[in-house]
Amino acid sequence: MASEIIVATTNEHKLREIGQMLKGRRVTGNGIWVKENGKTFEANAIKKVKAIKLKPGQIGVADDSGLMVDCLGGSPGVRSARFADPPTPKNLCGKLLRLMKDCRNRNASFVCAIAIAFPNGGIRVVKGIVHGKIADKMRGHSGFGYDPVFIPTGYRQTFAEMAPAEKNRISHRGRALRKLKEIIS
Ligand code: IMP
């Protein structure tokens, strides 16, 4: 069984979340930055996973994720990481809240597509989604990106107010990673 997972990411937070979810496996980041110019999360994940040079016995994993806000027509979507410069939680969430100041519909979803590259050259894609609402202001300090403004359905806390394990249990990435785990186990 291939045991080492190579993750195509330069994002330490994502690498930590993936490592926590895949406990018992060796998870290494490849630190390679790939331009994300695809129109969908799936296309970007596949592009990133193809950039990994796999050695025998390794499995490549790449995720592409983002936030889709209903009243902004699905934005920031695949542009979530580039929505503000520099993309700190304060800048990302601040810009989002400003754009949404007249939005009564606060519905939003986090989406995560994970592409898996197998030693035989095959590629599979799994997806995870979590629905929720955008808060009126930033709350909490945990996590990254848009976590301080995202309240998952059925909860009062934002992702940034939750313990990492609780976020992983319900998040888009957690859901996609559980599908990944089933496939590679
Ligand atoms: P990418 O998948 O590297 O393109 O990055 C997607 C961007 O979406 C991240 O840089 C964050 O800004 C945002 N994002 C994706 N997943 C999460 C999450 O779990 N919490 C908060 N923001 C996220």
Side-chain angles (χ1 to χ4, degrees):
M1 181 177 69
S3 57
E4 189 176 9
I5 314 263
I6 309 295
V7 185
T9 187
T10 51
N11 181 330
E12 276 175 40
H13 293 276
K14 276 192 193 174
L15 192 61
R16 198 173 313 134
E17 285 190 3
I18 293 172
Q20 279 164 355
M21 286 287 302
L22 299 178
K23 267 197 206 108
R25 298 248 179 193
R26 190 131 77 92
V27 177
T28 315
N30 72 346
I32 291 178
W33 183 82
V34 175
K35 190 168 174 96
E36 296 172 9
N37 52 5
K39 287 198 173 65
T40 62
F41 296 109
E42 288 92 334
N44 282 331
I46 290 171
K47 186 176 177 197
K48 285 193 242 184
V49 90
K50 283 184 171 169
I52 305 176
K53 301 266 177 291
L54 288 180
K55 295 192 184 121
Q58 293 179 333
I59 289 177
V61 166
D63 99 321
D64 193 57
S65 52
L67 180 69
M68 301 186 74
V69 177
D70 287 10
C71 92
L72 301 180
S75 281
V78 287
R79 297 195 68 256
S80 293
R82 294 161 276 154
F83 190 56
D85 188 23
T88 57
K90 202 169 161 213
N91 286 347
L92 293 170
C93 296
K95 180 170 175 187
L96 190 69
L97 292 175
R98 279 196 300 281
L99 287 176
M100 289 182 70
K101 72 177 173 15
D102 297 324
C103 290
R104 292 185 61 189
N105 173 359
R106 313 290 294 183
N107 293 339
S109 311
F110 266 126
V111 181
C112 174
I114 296 183
I116 312 154
F118 296 96
N120 68 3
I123 290 182
R124 271 192 72 173
V125 182
V126 291
K127 222 169 153 183
I129 298 178
V130 57
H131 299 292
K133 288 199 185 302
I134 301 300
D136 292 328
K137 59 180 185 356
M138 291 175 73
R139 287 181 355 222
H141 299 284
S142 170
F144 66 103
Y146 303 87
D147 281 346
V149 291
F150 186 82
I151 305 168
T153 302
Y155 292 78
R156 289 185 171 190
Q157 298 157 294
T158 65
F159 268 168
E161 291 176 312
M162 292 182 176
E166 191 174 13
K167 178 187 168 188
N168 287 347
R169 202 163 52 76
I170 54 175
S171 79
H172 49 315
R173 193 165 301 101
R175 287 178 178 166
L177 280 168
R178 276 191 287 281
K179 293 184 188 169
L180 159 77
K181 250 171 135 173
E182 267 172 40
I183 290 172
I184 64 176
S185 61

